[in-house]
């Protein structure tokens, strides 16, 4: 089975809670609509309104990410002594569809702010679980153009804003320069087209008798999910005019056909076995010579194999032109039931400011272009990723986003294992998700 980096999401859990009468009287209620926790849009007074009150902020990050979040939070506390910030690490906050957060909201013990996967915003907003901050954005004259389009658009659902973006990422092709030299390839000339990618992958693959020792590429490994390949082939996944999913876009079908054909050239079970045996990132372990990765991949490589000589380039496309990437990332949101939404809003704004963004950029890419230019000016890997970030795509902001993700990954899994026809598989995804959207 292809590994998926995202599993269960909150829609089902929210539905359970809603059916039990636990939550949220109506969906998409804004603060100005008179919700119990929402203040008026008069955010000019929000600072004084929150003074002396505690803001409880939840996150679930450890390691470098946890340290970056803590540093940004500490900077906020230093600059806002009138607010007591209570930073709480909650293990597995987003595991199981955010059940811990959901339980807190349902039980009336919600935190004031949460470090939140932006991909989740549409489903939670649709269920009325997040505070609408649109009026606060307008009152404080926040400029959406400060952020990369992909980052901003993921916090907007049905023309309302449900949080502020605070981190992002981007996807590129990583390649092992030493392997390129061994295979007689120019390490300064990585593949630009899909045809070149196939040819280089074949040359980089090493087989000893009947046993594969190395694969030039496992397309679906790491960040090679189906969104990546669909967009690379020129496809799309959602029609904003009709409000319908377009998983069976002809270019998406073409992408899935290519993935199936690629798998058929090799031994997919050997690919999975070799990848599993590496125990670390298979590219860092030298098990694969090329991989689709994001900005976090370089840190993983440095940790696992600091001597690895690698390069990055835009993901090859069929024509060698119109390179594309896509972005996800995190936001900070205010859950329904927050006791101090005014103080929480101050935290949200602060986390998008330069000082906090520079702290968060120690773990993520900033959502602010000028911050990235400053922080990563001497970093050729992230500079290459940033070069395609302005035009990055983002996943459809729909209540059934998790279902679409799961179904696309399942279709790719079935296709590369020769358990389905690409056209029929993507037709099925389209029908299933659109039916679910009509029932949302």
């Amino acid at each position: 089975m292809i590994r998926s980096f995202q599993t269960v999401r909150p829609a089902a859990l929210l539905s359970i809670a809603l059916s039990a009468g636990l939550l949220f009287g109506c969906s998409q209620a804004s603060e100005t609509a008179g919700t119990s926790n929402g203040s008026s849009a008069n955010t000019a007074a929000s600072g004084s309104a929150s003074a002396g009150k505690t803001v409880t902020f939840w996150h679930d990050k450890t390691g470098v990410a946890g340290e970056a979040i803590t540093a940004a939070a500490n900077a906020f506390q230093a600059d806002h002594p009138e607010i007591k910030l209570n930073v709480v690490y909650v293990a597995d906050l987003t595991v199981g569809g955010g059940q811990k957060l959901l339980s807190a909201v349902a039980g009336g013990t919600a935190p004031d702010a949460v470090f939140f996967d932006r991909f989740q915003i549409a489903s939670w907003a649709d269920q009325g679980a997040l505070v609408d901050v649109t009026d606060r954005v307008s009152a404080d004259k926040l400029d959406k153009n400060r952020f990369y389009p992909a980052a901003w658009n993921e916090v907007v659902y049905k023309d309302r804003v449900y949080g502020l973006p605070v981190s992002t990422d981007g996807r590129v092709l990583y390649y092992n320069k030493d392997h390129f030299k061994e295979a007689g390839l120019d390490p300064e000339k990585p593949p630009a087209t899909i045809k070149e990618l196939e040819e280089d992958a074949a040359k980089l693959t090493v087989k000893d008798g009947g046993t594969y020792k190395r694969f030039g590429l496992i397309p679906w490994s790491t960040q090679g999910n189906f969104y990546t390949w669909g967009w690379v082939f020129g496809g799309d996944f959602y029609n904003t005019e009709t409000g319908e999913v377009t998983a069976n876009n002809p270019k998406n079908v073409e992408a899935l056909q290519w993935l199936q054909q690629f798998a058929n050239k090799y031994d997919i079970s050997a690919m999975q076995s070799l990848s599993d045996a590496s125990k670390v990132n298979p590219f860092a372990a030298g098990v694969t010579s090329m991989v689709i990765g994001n900005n976090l991949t370089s840190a993983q490589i440095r940790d696992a194999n600091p001597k690895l000589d690698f390069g990055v380039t835009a993901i090859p496309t069929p024509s060698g032109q119109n390179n594309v990437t896509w972005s996800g990332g995190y936001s900070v949101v205010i859950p329904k039931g927050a006791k101090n939404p005014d103080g929480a809003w101050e935290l949200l704004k602060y986390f998008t400011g330069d000082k906090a963004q520079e702290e968060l950029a120690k773990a993520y890419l900033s959502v602010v272009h000028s911050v990235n230019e400053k922080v990563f000016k001497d970093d050729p890997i992230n500079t290459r990723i940033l070069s395609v970030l302005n035009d990055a795509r983002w996943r459809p902001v729909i209540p059934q986003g998790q279902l679409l993700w799961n179904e696309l990954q399942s279709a790719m899994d079935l296709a590369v294992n020769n358990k389905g026809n690409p056209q029929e598989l993507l037709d099925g995804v389209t029908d299933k998700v659109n039916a679910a959207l009509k029932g949302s």
Side-chain angles (χ1 to χ4, degrees):
M1 297 289 284
I2 296 170
R3 290 175 174 173
S4 172
F5 280 79
Q6 305 189 49
T7 54
V8 182
R9 296 294 181 180
L13 291 168
L14 285 167
S15 297
I16 293 170
L18 283 165
S19 63
L22 295 175
L23 307 178
F24 332 129
C26 61
S27 66
Q28 304 174 61
S30 74
E31 290 182 303
T32 53
T35 56
S36 60
N37 63 306
S39 65
S40 72
N42 183 17
T43 56
S46 61
S48 59
S50 62
K53 296 181 180 178
T54 296
V55 170
T56 298
F57 170 51
W58 283 11
H59 75 87
D60 64 352
K61 302 304 175 191
T62 58
V64 175
E67 292 169 4
I69 292 169
T70 299
N74 289 342
F76 171 83
Q77 186 64 92
D79 288 347
H80 287 274
E82 77 282 4
I83 298 173
K84 178 177 172 50
L85 181 61
N86 179 29
V87 180
V88 181
Y89 165 75
V90 180
D92 300 329
L93 176 60
T94 59
V95 172
Q99 188 170 9
K100 288 184 178 179
L101 178 60
L102 177 65
S103 297
V105 173
T109 59
D112 299 300
V114 181
F115 198 78
F116 197 78
D117 188 346
R118 282 201 304 273
F119 183 54
Q120 302 294 325
I121 282 183
S123 59
W124 283 65
D126 191 68
Q127 300 287 347
L130 300 179
V131 170
D132 179 342
V133 297
T134 309
D135 296 331
R136 291 182 183 272
V137 169
S138 298
D140 283 341
K141 296 182 172 54
L142 295 188
D143 183 4
K144 70 177 184 179
N145 295 315
R146 175 173 170 78
F147 309 101
Y148 292 102
W152 177 258
N153 286 323
E154 277 196 326
V155 300
V156 179
Y157 175 63
K158 292 187 176 179
D159 298 324
R160 307 297 291 182
V161 183
Y162 289 94
L164 294 182
V166 297
S167 75
T168 193
D169 63 6
R171 284 143 188 85
V172 290
L173 178 73
Y174 282 71
Y175 64 98
N176 185 314
K177 290 187 174 182
D178 288 335
H179 288 182
F180 267 54
K181 293 173 187 173
E182 290 173 17
L185 298 169
D186 184 350
E188 303 308 319
K189 190 180 179 183
T193 68
I194 292 295
K195 184 173 185 295
E196 291 174 353
L197 183 67
E198 288 179 343
E199 292 173 348
D200 288 357
K203 292 176 182 175
L204 289 160
T205 297
V206 176
K207 197 173 183 181
D208 183 4
T211 304
Y212 284 101
K213 298 296 184 182
R214 186 177 79 199
F215 285 99
L217 173 72
I218 303 177
W220 44 86
S221 175
T222 314
Q223 293 292 322
N225 46 66
F226 192 64
Y227 274 114
T228 298
W229 292 111
W231 276 318
V232 160
F233 273 76
D236 211 345
F237 296 89
Y238 187 66
N239 186 325
T240 56
E241 294 184 1
T242 65
E244 294 182 325
V245 162
T246 59
N248 58 352
N249 177 296
K251 293 297 182 182
N252 292 345
V253 175
E254 189 178 327
L256 194 56
Q257 289 170 337
W258 177 77
L259 288 165
Q260 188 174 63
Q261 290 165 6
F262 191 98
N264 287 339
K265 288 176 61 177
Y266 299 97
D267 180 347
I268 189 169
S269 62
M271 285 181 167
Q272 193 61 58
S273 296
L274 204 56
S275 181
D276 289 345
S278 70
K279 298 186 184 303
V280 295
N281 181 303
F283 178 77
V287 171
T288 60
S289 301
M290 298 184 287
V291 71
I292 305 299
N294 63 10
N295 45 294
L296 299 177
T297 305
S298 59
Q300 295 167 353
I301 295 169
R302 284 195 294 272
D303 288 343
N305 189 359
K307 294 184 178 179
L308 182 64
D309 187 13
F310 65 94
V312 300
T313 189
I315 303 171
T317 63
S319 68
Q321 301 176 337
N322 302 316
N323 296 111
V324 65
T325 189
W326 68 270
S327 294
Y330 288 91
S331 59
V332 180
V333 300
I334 305 174
K336 279 294 177 64
K339 303 297 189 299
N340 187 1
D342 292 329
W345 176 242
E346 294 302 315
L347 182 69
L348 263 65
K349 288 189 296 181
Y350 192 87
F351 264 51
T352 66
D354 283 8
K355 186 182 290 187
Q357 282 293 298
E358 287 183 23
E359 295 292 353
L360 292 170
K362 294 173 182 175
Y364 307 99
L365 293 181
S366 171
V367 289
V368 180
H369 188 272
S370 60
V371 172
N372 284 328
E373 283 189 330
K374 177 182 177 182
V375 173
F376 299 115
K377 62 181 180 181
D378 298 321
D379 182 336
I381 301 300
N382 279 321
T383 296
R384 187 68 184 90
I385 296 172
L386 293 170
S387 70
V388 293
L389 212 55
N390 267 330
D391 297 320
R393 307 294 181 87
W394 62 94
R395 290 164 290 184
V397 185
I398 55 176
Q400 298 295 342
Q402 186 59 52
L403 177 63
L404 177 57
W405 172 280
N406 292 345
E407 291 300 316
L408 289 174
Q409 291 300 101
S410 176
M412 185 166 70
D413 191 5
L414 292 169
V416 301
N417 282 284
N418 259 335
K419 295 181 179 178
N421 172 279
Q423 178 72 62
E424 294 174 356
L425 288 169
L426 292 176
D427 284 345
V429 173
T430 302
D431 292 344
K432 183 173 184 177
V433 179
N434 281 331
L437 283 173
K438 290 177 181 177
S440 295

